[in-house]
Amino acid sequence: MQTRKKYIFFALLASWLLLFFFGGDQLHRFAFFSERKAEAQRNWPHWTDQSLLKSFADPEELQSDGDPSVPSPRERRAAQLSIYKNSRCRMETCFDFSRCEKRGFRVFTYPRDRDQPISESYSKILTSIERSRYYTTNPEEACLFILSIDTLDRDHLSGQYIHNVDEKIRGFPLWNGGRNHLIFNLYSGTWPNYTEDLGFDIGQAILAKASFYTESFRPGFDISIPLFPKDHPQHGGERGWLYQDSVPPKKKYLLVFKGKRYLTGIGSGTRNALHHIHNGKDIISLTTCKHGKDWERHKDTRCDKDNLNYEKFDYQELLHNSTFCIVPRGRRLGSFRFLEALQAACIPVLLSDGWELPFAEAIDWGKAAVVGNERLLLQIPSAVRCIPPERVLAFQQQTQFLWDAYFSSVDKIVHTTLEIIKDRLLQHRSRSRFLWNTLPGGLLALPDFSTHLGDFPFYHLQRGRILPAPKFTAFIRATSMAGSLSQPILRLIQAVSGSQYCAQILVLWSSEKPSLPSGKWPQTTVPLTVIQGRSKVSDRFFPYAAIQTDAVLSLDEHTSLSTSEVDFAFVVWRSFPERIVGFPAQSHFWDTEQRRWGYTSKWTNELSIILTTAAFYHRYYHSLFTEYLPARLRELVDGLATCEDLLMNILVAAVTKLPPIKVAQRRQHKEAGTAGGRHLSQQQDCLNQLVDWFGYMPLVSSQLRLDPVLFKDQVSILRKKYPHLDKP
């Protein structure tokens, strides 16, 4: 018995020794696991414990994990499905292409109801459509339809909110479930969530909307537009603030923001954190909570100090003197600040997660804006400091181009929207992103003319300065011929056909009398073709298929030129194919007494107009004149003397932002182009009507005249390349 107890004792002792050596560590961990876990939880610093964790935000900002007013992704998705019942719409599934095949791309606006109020902004949108070249008053011709009901402000707390939109649109016989309709919207949803609820079912309509969430955006179908104020100009618009003689890219301030700070609700998180990057030197970030009716009830400990600092800086001065401008989200994703920064050449730094940027389908925003992340705000200063000066200048130049091309007026915003839709209909003839993002922009590069860069006059520098082909077409407009050709036109045909660069001569027969038989036309070394025209002067700028060369020499039957003059002018034009290059020059001026634009044919040191009675230009301007400009302007020039010259010069200046070029001419041309009192009055009326339509004065003045080498120099005539230019 004693021996048995002894064996049991040694067995237990051995077991404890084995457990200690091989499992003691695990047992120790198991025994104290819960205690260590509790201790670890106690030692982890609280978010509001400033002695243990350095805080980058005020304690009250972090008391909760999130703003309850901010909808979650699931809530946004549910709201989206309730609003966009046709959320899978694409052009191929929700748009009737057959309506656009017969008459082309035509747009119809519903008749306006006098009893239905329309906001100033929506009235401008409808006016822009009616001013476009696509507008039609016949719904049977229409490819796209625009409601006359104002859908811009769908915040039901707004005074401009239209009730019962669903009932009204269902009563329209053309509605067809929204198919082939375009709906514009600037404000959707209301306090506190500001969802994308429009308050009515858009059906299969295309939605052109500001502050578009990427989650709700239907790619290739919807269009994101910018948020613009009600005083945004109808047409024309102000110029950008970056001029050729502006200060260098580096300005006084690197990064600025001045605006409202929301104390509660959606959008408050981003703006509440902006004060962290303010250093009072080259980064200025100012906010104020002094807005709204009950701001004092919600104000925090920073409000009084923020409001005091806010008044120390002028907003316009900050825009002028800063390189980058922070564009944070507001209650909605977009804000007016976006367009303000573009115009000021202050590179936008976007802090609006999930925003589908305006016209992103066409515009490459990576060349004009810095897209930041709201959660990485503290990285923004170091990120913008790393951008080299040459890149900063490229950003600034692109902001000016985009502002002028697409955003400076309601007309341009609306027309860009229409052109994007039109490109979707004919994708084989749509504009490339290069055309959209390069001067002069997509609105002025017509894909119906060509989609090849070499066919346009603007891109020779981007293509390695490839010059146009060394041939031109002489285009002579004849109006007052009798039974035989007059001596002036005979001499003109002989002089032009003698040019080594002349490929063909086209005569536009605009007389009511029948054209002369082919046997009565002079024999020339180049083909001579007669085109039967009408009595309208605008016909001279029609894009005739017979014009085969890029260069067009526009002439009148009474123009007098020598072969040397033609040769030299063409050589000059090949270096400047985007401009008008010619001989008779005139100028415009602002008449302070009459308070209107004046026009003079007197010889002065300045010129802004080259008469198309003797001028070279690119044939693309024929297409632009006929297809881009509305019919109303062409009717205007048909009724006023020499108005077609003004319109063509204004059109080219509006496209290029450059003046025409005058070349050397013989003394006998000095009185060419002078106008009598009646004609001069008509020209001035024409000029002011055109300026009113464009919304600004596009003409650019110049004091440049290009002469050949040794022109008028007292040297042997044999040393001169164009000797006949010196002869009287």
Side-chain angles (χ1 to χ4, degrees), residues 601-705:
S601 58
K602 296 181 179 179
W603 280 52
T604 63
N605 290 331
E606 287 196 347
L607 63 98
S608 57
I609 299 165
I610 295 292
L611 297 184
T612 55
T613 55
F616 280 99
Y617 51 79
H618 199 283
R619 70 187 177 101
Y620 174 64
Y621 292 124
H622 278 221
S623 295
L624 210 57
F625 186 96
T626 303
E627 298 172 13
Y628 172 74
L629 297 175
R632 184 174 68 86
L633 287 187
R634 296 194 297 274
E635 294 171 358
L636 172 66
V637 304
D638 289 332
L640 297 175
T642 326
C643 196
E644 78 279 8
D645 283 314
L646 292 174
L647 181 54
M648 177 57 83
N649 276 267
I650 285 178
L651 175 62
V652 175
V655 172
T656 64
K657 309 295 187 295
L658 297 170
I661 295 177
K662 177 178 173 59
V663 293
Q665 61 189 91
R666 293 176 297 164
R667 190 182 303 275
Q668 65 190 59
H669 291 303
K670 187 167 184 178
E671 300 302 324
T674 56
R678 179 173 173 272
H679 279 183
L680 185 61
S681 176
Q682 289 186 352
Q683 291 163 352
Q684 290 180 341
D685 290 341
C686 169
L687 179 62
N688 284 277
Q689 291 186 56
L690 294 178
V691 170
D692 180 66
W693 189 88
F694 278 87
Y696 70 107
M697 169 53 78
L699 292 176
V700 182
S701 296
S702 171
Q703 295 183 350
L704 175 68
R705 188 186 79 183

Side-chain angles (χ1 to χ4, degrees), residues 32-43:
F32 299 102
F33 176 77
S34 59
E35 181 181 352
R36 284 196 172 188
K37 181 177 180 182
E39 182 181 356
Q41 289 179 339
R42 287 195 300 269
N43 292 339

Side-chain angles (χ1 to χ4, degrees), residues 330-349:
R331 293 302 193 190
R332 300 173 179 88
L333 294 179
S335 68
F336 298 140
R337 192 177 308 274
F338 180 64
L339 291 187
E340 293 169 353
L342 281 182
Q343 182 185 7
C346 189
I347 303 169
V349 179

